[in-house]
Amino acid sequence: MAISLSVVLLLAIVLVVMTRSGSIKAGPAVVAALFGFFLASSGVGPTITKVLNEIAASISKINF
């Protein structure tokens, strides 16, 4: 839960920055956000979550 919440916050911040900088207009930003919500509720959502959790686990095992 903590990982998915932080990813959502990070993506929301990126979306706001892109909207404010003019890289992406408000209309496409809303479409991108809605696409994310609908994608998460589809059958692919759990698979995406599993892959992201595995990537996060792999990154956390890296020692610098």
Side-chain angles (χ1 to χ4, degrees):
M1 177 70 177
I3 293 173
S4 64
L5 183 60
S6 60
V7 170
V8 168
L9 272 164
L10 176 67
L11 291 175
I13 290 169
V14 168
L15 193 59
V16 167
V17 168
M18 289 179 71
T19 303
R20 294 196 70 178
S21 70
S23 298
I24 187 171
K25 301 295 181 199
V30 170
V31 170
L34 288 174
F35 174 72
F37 285 121
F38 285 115
L39 183 63
S41 65
S42 71
V44 178
T47 304
I48 294 171
T49 302
K50 183 180 175 184
V51 168
L52 289 176
N53 286 336
E54 290 176 5
I55 291 171
S58 298
I59 291 172
S60 69
K61 292 179 184 177
I62 297 174
N63 294 324
F64 292 104

